Amino acid sequence: MPPPSHEMTGAAPAVGDWRRALAAALRTPEALRAAAGLGAPAEAERAAAADFPVRVTATVLERIRRGDPADPVLAQFLPAAAELAPVPGFVDDPVGDLAARRGPGLLQKYRGRLLVMPTTACAVHCRYCFRRHYPHRDGARPEAVAARLRADPGLHEVILSGGDPLVLPDPPLRRLLAAVDGVATVRRIRIHTRVPVVLPARIGAPLVAMLSALRARCVVVLHVNHAAELGPDAAAALAALRGGGVVLLNQAVLLRGVNDSVPALAALSEALLDHGVLPYYLHQLDPVRGAAHFGVPDAEALALHRALRARLPGYLVPRLVREVPGDAAKRELAAAVEAADASRL
């Protein structure tokens, strides 16, 4: 076995090959375990993968420490038998997406913001994904998005989510962005994506130029949970986005066995800032069916956050939040715990 390292052999594909790299993503637990230097999966892992398929890109594989079943990058993508165990409170729609639907691929939860899901596809499948059971059908169409925005001048921000909007090829992505940017009341376009880190070949000059040309302010919200995810190819992709004037933020999820320690969280914040990314949110796990084994108790999460505040300057400490269905905004975890305690009195 090679010495512990978060590097695996193999070079990332050139920018023009991003669609080939996406098509070549591993899609079975057998393939993922073999690439990670582990034995064959148990039958329960195969069953978990049947419920929610595996999808892992070559770039992610390069960040996995071979032969280590507890590797924090691998843990985010490897099916586990624990996914099959029913846990009270862990459901298919943990954040109230279905109640917020306003049409195909359109959700509206918060004042002034419209969430648009233009595609059902992602570059990778995270095992704790809160939309792993979402009934994805057709993505939002540009003309429907523009019509919704024009009908409500109070919508000042559009959030592209999914699925991952950056797995769209340039032509449909350009049409969607043009439809949104053409509505004068839209001030910001926010793109939630893992692509710059898990499929960095996608972040080529044409895409950066497309985002740079927007009238509305473009904000890219990454999803990175551990510093080991940030390799040299991701660094180049993030530098390209910064060079195009894109604002970069990060939302992480607090995950058992991945980043549930002060050193891991501090290293993540430091690494993000090294790449020009500001830590934004640290989410408590959304209680989606199949992900309970990733959960960190609220008391432990609050203690970790307090210790992180004592260790880092304030601008490197993400807000610790929980999404509560029906709330007007993300809820600070301390307030969420107080409200839950009060409801039990």
Side-chain angles (χ1 to χ4, degrees):
M1 182 185 301
S5 169
H6 273 94
E7 301 293 337
M8 293 182 70
T9 58
V15 166
D17 295 334
W18 73 268
R19 280 184 281 191
R20 188 181 309 165
L22 182 60
L26 300 184
R27 295 170 186 266
T28 68
E30 290 86 355
L32 177 53
R33 277 184 157 270
L38 302 176
E43 190 56 39
E45 293 175 34
R46 294 189 180 96
D51 182 61
F52 182 54
V54 168
R55 191 165 193 173
V56 180
T57 61
T59 301
V60 171
L61 294 176
E62 292 169 7
R63 311 308 305 160
I64 290 172
R65 191 163 47 219
R66 281 186 59 87
D68 182 2
D71 178 78
V73 179
L74 177 65
Q76 300 177 55
F77 304 103
L78 186 66
E83 296 178 33
L84 302 176
V87 178
F90 282 76
V91 298
D92 286 2
D93 182 25
V95 297
D97 275 350
L98 294 180
R101 289 177 68 174
R102 299 295 182 268
L106 297 178
L107 278 71
Q108 191 169 351
K109 294 183 180 180
Y110 305 130
R111 181 178 177 181
R113 284 157 281 178
L114 179 68
L115 190 145
V116 176
M117 296 190 290
T119 178
T120 64
C122 283
V124 293
H125 288 175
C126 309
R127 304 311 300 178
Y128 52 88
C129 176
F130 69 93
R131 289 199 180 116
R132 58 181 284 171
H133 305 296
Y134 186 83
H136 287 289
R137 298 186 184 91
D138 296 334
R141 298 178 63 84
E143 56 271 22
V145 177
R148 181 80 189 179
L149 293 170
R150 292 194 180 97
D152 186 351
L155 292 171
H156 300 303
E157 183 166 354
V158 172
I159 302 167
L160 304 187
S161 184
D164 193 312
L166 293 189
V167 302
L168 285 173
D170 283 355
L173 181 60
R174 184 177 292 109
R175 287 193 293 272
L176 175 61
L177 290 173
V180 173
D181 205 39
V183 179
T185 51
V186 174
R187 299 180 60 182
R188 290 175 299 278
I189 300 174
R190 195 186 337 160
I191 301 173
H192 286 228
T193 180
R194 265 219 190 230
V195 160
V197 172
V198 304
L199 190 67
R202 173 68 177 104
I203 312 301
L207 176 62
V208 174
M210 190 189 312
L211 301 181
S212 300
L214 293 170
R215 171 196 55 80
R217 169 66 73 180
C218 183
V219 180
V220 166
V221 181
L222 303 168
H223 177 41
V224 183
N225 295 316
H226 195 281
E229 298 174 50
L230 293 164
D233 298 308
L238 297 174
L241 289 169
R242 291 198 315 274
V246 175
V247 177
L248 298 177
L249 306 175
N250 187 67
Q251 291 189 142
V253 179
L254 183 59
L255 299 168
R256 176 71 71 198
V258 174
N259 57 13
D260 57 326
S261 71
V262 174
L265 291 172
L268 173 59
S269 283
E270 296 276 13
L272 287 167
L273 193 67
D274 286 345
H275 294 297
V277 183
L278 193 66
Y280 172 39
Y281 278 149
L282 177 63
H283 281 268
Q284 263 294 52
L285 180 73
D286 293 319
V288 64
R289 176 171 60 85
H293 58 293
F294 285 113
V296 176
D298 287 347
E300 184 178 340
L302 289 166
L304 285 170
H305 198 246
R306 283 193 297 270
L308 195 64
R309 289 202 310 267
R311 179 165 176 163
L312 295 177
Y315 59 87
L316 283 184
V317 180
R319 293 170 59 195
L320 178 62
V321 298
R322 162 173 289 140
E323 183 163 358
V324 178
D327 268 17
K330 300 290 192 300
R331 193 183 294 190
E332 299 281 352
L333 184 61
V337 170
E338 290 174 4
D341 289 343
S343 70
R344 288 191 287 267
L345 294 178

